[in-house]
């Protein structure tokens, strides 16, 4: 399968990216282009390989999840969640993350979608992964919009053609991994974006 840069919805990406810079100007957006270039030189897979999965009614699990539900596909947000699912006897199909929260858990999924941005590009893993970026994509990278790993996973499911999405574990009032002003603002952005997506597609929150 030919590997080419893919951006699913340029106006939506611009909306998200502009909002993120306004809410969290202290992040390293000036390095996002360098991050995309770094990812483009990895032995990446084309995002279209994800179309081999059944995206009809995926279940997206975020780190604080407790409820396990049925779905056509299991998406784990970050390696931590993949490991938590595995302990409950659930094998993730897709693991989405930016390699900063128990990244070794990504190996538990059938495929991993790794996000490159200005604050993490020097630790990107080399492997047969799908690489997503925060800027206009280059090389074998994709832009699926979204800002945090959680809402990006839901955007991905939406663009893959999901008819309905179940989200288990999105609790913006319960920060996981750390609790500081930046994290709280990121969760508010994620909450806004998920509410925005819920106007386009049926999303069930557990």
């Amino acid at each position: 399968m030919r590997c080419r840069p893919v951006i699913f919805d340029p106006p939506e990406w611009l909306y998200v990216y502009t909002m993120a810079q306004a809410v969290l100007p202290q992040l390293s957006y000036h390095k996002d282009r360098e991050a995309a270039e770094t990812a483009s030189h990895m032995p990446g897979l084309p995002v279209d390989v994800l179309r081999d999965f059944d995206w009809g009614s995926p279940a997206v699990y975020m780190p604080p999840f407790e409820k396990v539900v049925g779905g056509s596909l299991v998406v784990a947000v970050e390696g931590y969640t993949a490991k938590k699912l595995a302990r409950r006897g659930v094998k993730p199909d897709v693991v989405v993350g930016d390699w900063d929260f128990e990244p070794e858990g990504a190996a538990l999924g059938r495929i991993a979608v790794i996000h490159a941005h200005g604050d993490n590009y020097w630790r990107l893993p080399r492997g047969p992964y799908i690489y997503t970026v925060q800027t206009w994509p280059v090389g074998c990278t994709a832009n699926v919009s979204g800002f945090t790993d959680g809402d990006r996973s839901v955007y991905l499911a939406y663009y893959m053609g999901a008819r309905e999405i179940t989200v288990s574990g999105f609790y913006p009032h319960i920060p996981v991994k750390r609790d500081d002003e930046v994290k709280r603002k990121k969760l508010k952005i994620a909450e806004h974006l998920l509410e925005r997506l819920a106007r386009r597609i049926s999303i069930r929150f557990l």
Side-chain angles (χ1 to χ4, degrees):
M1 184 178 293
R2 180 170 173 263
C3 203
R4 56 186 175 81
V6 175
I7 183 166
F8 287 91
D9 188 342
E12 184 69 10
W13 160 69
L14 187 59
Y15 171 85
V16 173
Y17 202 49
T18 301
M19 178 185 63
Q21 291 178 82
V23 175
L24 286 167
Q26 65 268 51
L27 300 185
S28 302
Y29 305 101
H30 62 290
K31 294 182 179 179
D32 282 345
R33 170 52 59 182
E34 186 175 353
E37 291 289 345
T38 299
S40 75
H41 291 98
M42 298 292 187
L45 296 172
V47 70
D48 282 345
V49 302
L50 290 174
R51 298 191 185 280
D52 293 336
F53 295 97
D54 181 359
W55 290 92
S57 55
V60 177
Y61 291 89
M62 300 189 187
F65 86 88
E66 290 301 329
K67 295 181 180 179
V68 174
V69 297
S72 64
L73 184 74
V74 175
V75 180
V77 177
E78 305 209 67
Y80 170 90
T81 307
K83 292 167 70 174
K84 187 174 177 180
L85 282 166
R87 288 194 295 272
R88 299 185 182 202
V90 178
K91 181 176 177 59
D93 295 295
V94 181
V95 181
V96 177
D98 63 357
W99 215 251
D100 74 341
F101 196 13
E102 301 191 15
E104 66 279 2
L108 296 171
R110 295 167 63 189
I111 196 165
V113 180
I114 309 301
H115 189 63
H117 55 73
D119 291 304
N120 81 336
Y121 66 96
W122 57 87
R123 64 170 180 260
L124 289 177
R126 292 183 63 84
Y129 306 123
I130 294 167
Y131 294 92
T132 58
V133 297
Q134 285 194 171
T135 59
W136 199 268
V138 292
C140 192
T141 67
N143 185 314
V144 298
S145 201
F147 186 65
T148 72
D149 292 326
D151 61 85
R152 188 181 312 108
S153 298
V154 180
Y155 268 99
L156 177 64
Y158 170 67
Y159 290 132
M160 286 291 113
R163 296 185 303 274
E164 60 181 5
I165 302 168
T166 300
V167 174
S168 182
F170 181 67
Y171 311 128
H173 59 289
I174 307 176
V176 178
K177 186 169 53 177
R178 69 177 196 274
D179 184 7
D180 55 33
E181 183 181 6
V182 170
K183 182 64 174 180
R184 289 191 292 271
K185 286 185 175 181
K186 284 184 175 181
L187 288 171
K188 291 299 291 184
I189 291 173
E191 184 175 24
H192 169 73
L193 293 177
L194 290 173
E195 290 173 352
R196 180 178 171 87
L197 271 174
R199 296 195 289 268
R200 306 184 190 182
I201 185 172
S202 175
I203 302 177
R204 181 168 64 117
F205 293 94
L206 300 179

